[in-house]
Amino acid sequence: MTSSDKIVSRYGLVLLAISLLPALIWWMFFPGYFGADDAYIHKAIVDSWVGGLGWGVNPGSPVGLSTAPLFTLMMSALAQFPGDLLFKGSLVTQFASVVGCLFAGLTASHIGNNRAAGIIACLFAATSAVLWRLTGAFMETTIAFAAVALVVHVYYRLCIPSPDAARPIEYFGLGVLCGCAALLRPELGMLPFLIFASMVIMSVPCAIMRSAAMFYGAGAAGVFYVIFALQTWGSVLPSTYSAKTTDALNVLNLKILIQLGGVVVSSALGCLLYTSPSPRDWI
């Protein structure tokens, strides 16, 4: 093993050690905590679905209660194996937390070709109190976090340092990842649009063609969801969506739009500025 290989290996071990922190926090301070009411709603749906009683909590009355259908399907597959489902699901969300922190560090180091930036990014992610609270919970949140980290990492791997080398099929795969992320958290449907904006800012060659391939990939995941939802509980929008809206705005919720806008303004635009090759790209 060369000296450079040893450095890379040590760097990976440092990132892994930092990424394990949220899971260690769970084992040290919150063992047996699987989340609040959402965790048990998810489990009730899984138990009903696996038991052949329909997608819901009342036997024979299928209802789209889950806004994270991919998580529910993942836990349904996990339920086929012996052992306590809540504990098995907790291990999965802990693993997802580790993966998300790792990819956060790897992406930051790749963008700036700077290992120190990777360690700082990984440290910021691993010391998030919100991530500590959700790691180990029987919920989709940490898996969605890992999915976002993976999507961003794959995107920058395609664009840096050789944006003209990636093929449309690779962007199609990126779109499928974005679509799957949206099936974990619906607000992650904004990912393809943010990636498209970044491609325009970074002047990625053939941005329109590659973006089209990405949107086709995301659309493929969306078509799967629509078919599954209509066949399983008979509607596209989950019933829980209406619980988060108002009678006057049963499709558009201004409060949620403001919250999502805050995420975009505070985080996404900053990332776009950071990855822009030059301030002149904004002129």
Side-chain angles (χ1 to χ4, degrees), residues 200-279:
V200 172
I201 293 168
M202 293 174 65
S203 301
V204 174
C206 304
I208 300 298
M209 179 184 68
R210 287 169 172 160
S211 295
M214 176 183 62
F215 280 108
Y216 273 120
V223 169
F224 163 80
Y225 165 73
V226 169
I227 294 173
F228 177 78
L230 291 177
Q231 290 185 343
T232 305
W233 62 82
S235 65
V236 175
L237 287 179
S239 60
T240 45
Y241 185 82
S242 60
K244 300 174 183 178
T245 58
T246 64
D247 292 337
L249 297 168
N250 59 353
V251 174
L252 184 66
N253 187 314
L254 295 180
K255 182 178 180 180
I256 293 177
L257 283 179
I258 292 172
Q259 292 174 347
L260 291 178
V263 172
V264 173
V265 171
S266 64
S267 302
L269 293 183
C271 292
L272 294 177
L273 282 169
Y274 176 68
T275 56
S276 177
S278 167

